[in-house]
Amino acid sequence: MTTEVQRSTGAANAGRPFATGRALRPSTKVLPEHARGHNRSLVLQTLYRAGTQSRADIARETGLTRVTVSDLVAELMAEGLVIETGQREDARPGKPATLLDLNREAFQIVGVDLSGYSDFRGALLDLDGQVIARAELPLAGSMGREATAKVVDLVTSLVEAATLPVLGIGVGSPGVVDLAGIVLSAPNLGWSGEPLQQVLADRFGLPVIVINDANAAALAEHSFGDADSDMMLIKVGHGVGAGLLLDGTPLFGSRFAAGEIGHVVVGTDGGAACACGKHGCLETWLAVPRLEAALAASDSDDAKLQILREAGQRLGIAMAPVVGALNLAEVVLSGPTELLDGPLAEATIETLRARTMAEFHGDLTLRMTTLGEDIVMRGAAVMVLSGQLGVS
Ligand SMILES: [Zn+2]
């Protein structure tokens, strides 16, 4: 094991990134037998988002009775999830209110990003989403079981670096991932039906959530990037994928392949051969290795500009029916800024506007993510928080 875990100085992610954005919409109805759990989550969510509150504040905020709140707070304090932080200093008569907060030092989270072309990356995060330590492991062409073993090595180094109990492990993986965390298909890693969630849960005895990398990125963008509730995130890297949120809820699709737009053929004019056997897939125009190769082979600035514009137009052509059918408000791009931001993004938005109904889609916006390269790890951590504590 040669993974080196680097402690973060914290300077790069000051503030409380997890707590600044918006919560995910719950995707299921609350049944009576789940009411207590739902109310627990409401209390935790209120403290998570708003910071220190009194019991009375929480009751007001959640609409729960004072008795219910006191009861739940007692339970959460006994579990170490909620702590008393002191008394409110105010001039009101009577006994000053005791303030409570989520115990932000109760747990740490392991977040892992398997979408990189050359490295697996991971981080140890606190409950507010700040990176405490990072680790990377060169992929070196590993496929199949060898790739799985590298994920285990990476997670081992991060779990060992934890200075508090680990709440769970979140993993963003390329390819098609089902709700049980089985990677149904990830050709670049040689995985087909790989039970990654189970492998990690058995190995570490911790809650594990494995989701598609672009879906993780979309969740991160929604939780901390201030994205619209009806949005699509396009992730451009080794391949091309998309994550969709409709009304704040992630969309997985009937066979968990929603957003797999990389192998949609764009146009009727042929195009380059794709690894999947077809010609002219979106990836052949837009994936980073393809774009870099085309730019390297071009001999003038004009030719380079044309390559970027063409890639942007093909993306716009592929997305226009989706934007039109779902009436999306926002498209966010995640990937190398030097390739995506500029002529490529401009050509995409021009193409989208030209191909959709201006009166309903004219205010559509397209922008780069502001979350940089930690986007997948942070989205994976959101899934752990949401799954274990009901907060996001
Ligand atoms: Zn293809």
Side-chain angles (χ1 to χ4, degrees):
M1 244 324 288
T2 56
T3 316
E4 203 176 306
V5 176
Q6 295 180 332
R7 294 273 154 190
S8 167
T9 61
N13 46 47
R16 285 174 29 197
F18 265 27
T20 53
R22 276 157 312 139
L24 295 175
R25 295 264 178 95
S27 56
T28 48
K29 288 212 178 84
V30 181
L31 301 170
E33 62 267 34
H34 299 145
R36 189 171 178 84
H38 177 73
N39 292 344
R40 263 175 69 99
S41 296
L42 277 179
V43 171
L44 288 172
Q45 178 78 1
T46 302
L47 289 171
Y48 186 61
R49 287 284 166 191
T52 51
Q53 305 258 296
S54 69
R55 287 169 178 80
D57 296 334
I58 297 170
R60 217 169 13 250
E61 187 77 21
T62 58
L64 299 172
T65 66
R66 298 275 296 259
V67 173
T68 302
V69 169
S70 292
D71 189 27
L72 287 167
V73 164
E75 177 182 302
L76 291 165
M77 284 180 64
E79 291 170 34
L81 276 169
V82 167
I83 47 170
E84 289 184 343
T85 60
Q87 311 252 299
R88 178 173 281 149
E89 291 173 27
D90 61 11
R92 273 181 274 174
K95 202 174 144 211
T98 303
L99 292 172
L100 305 161
D101 195 5
L102 184 70
N103 183 4
R104 292 165 199 274
E105 288 175 2
F107 295 104
Q108 291 168 340
I109 299 172
V110 170
V112 175
D113 176 4
L114 306 182
S115 66
Y117 177 51
S118 55
D119 297 283
F120 283 162
R121 304 174 62 238
L124 191 65
L125 303 111
D126 70 15
L127 292 191
D128 284 327
Q130 303 207 45
V131 173
I132 297 159
R134 297 173 183 277
E136 281 186 22
L137 203 52
L139 197 46
S142 300
M143 302 277 275
R145 286 196 174 167
E146 222 180 292
T148 306
K150 287 204 167 164
V151 180
V152 171
D153 284 352
L154 183 68
V155 173
T156 301
S157 67
L158 289 164
V159 168
E160 284 173 356
T163 52
L164 294 170
V166 175
L167 182 65
I169 300 162
V171 180
S173 169
V176 180
V177 184
D178 75 8
L179 295 179
I182 297 171
V183 184
L184 299 177
S185 167
N188 295 336
L189 293 173
W191 284 342
S192 174
E194 182 68 19
L196 192 57
Q197 190 165 304
Q198 195 60 52
V199 168
L200 294 174
D202 289 348
R203 176 72 175 70
F204 296 100
L206 290 166
V208 181
I209 294 178
V210 180
I211 64 168
N212 169 269
D213 55 353
N215 284 329
L219 289 172
E221 191 59 49
H222 183 258
S223 289
F224 334 116
D226 206 26
D228 198 274
S229 293
D230 294 287
M231 63 87 78
M232 187 173 188
L233 179 136
I234 310 286
K235 192 168 184 306
V236 180
H238 197 182
V240 177
L244 269 165
L245 286 180
L246 288 182
D247 205 15
T249 304
L251 190 80
F252 297 112
S254 62
R255 307 270 306 273
F256 313 106
E260 288 294 309
I261 58 167
H263 297 283
V264 170
V265 174
V266 191
T268 53
D269 56 349
C274 182
C276 74
K278 300 193 292 271
H279 281 76
C281 291
L282 184 58
E283 281 195 12
T284 66
W285 305 99
L286 194 63
V288 170
R290 299 277 192 158
L291 265 179
E292 282 178 345
L295 290 171
S298 68
D299 48 13
S300 71
D301 286 352
D302 255 12
K304 289 189 202 312
L305 183 67
Q306 205 42 50
I307 287 163
L308 292 171
R309 283 196 59 84
E310 170 106 54
Q313 283 160 2
R314 299 281 169 166
L315 175 60
I317 293 168
M319 286 176 54
V322 182
V323 167
L326 302 178
N327 194 195
L328 300 179
E330 189 171 41
V331 176
V332 178
L333 297 179
S334 165
T337 310
E338 67 278 13
L339 292 176
L340 303 180
D341 202 10
L344 192 155
E346 285 160 22
T348 302
I349 191 77
E350 281 166 24
T351 307
L352 278 173
R353 291 212 171 110
R355 285 172 174 250
T356 54
M357 293 170 76
E359 63 269 44
F360 300 116
H361 305 291
D363 55 355
L364 174 76
T365 58
L366 181 140
R367 63 174 173 85
M368 292 296 300
T369 176
T370 53
L371 301 180
E373 57 178 16
D374 289 343
I375 188 168
V376 171
M377 298 189 300
R378 290 176 67 187
V382 172
M383 288 299 290
V384 172
L385 271 170
S386 165
Q388 295 309 115
L389 300 184
V391 303
S392 60

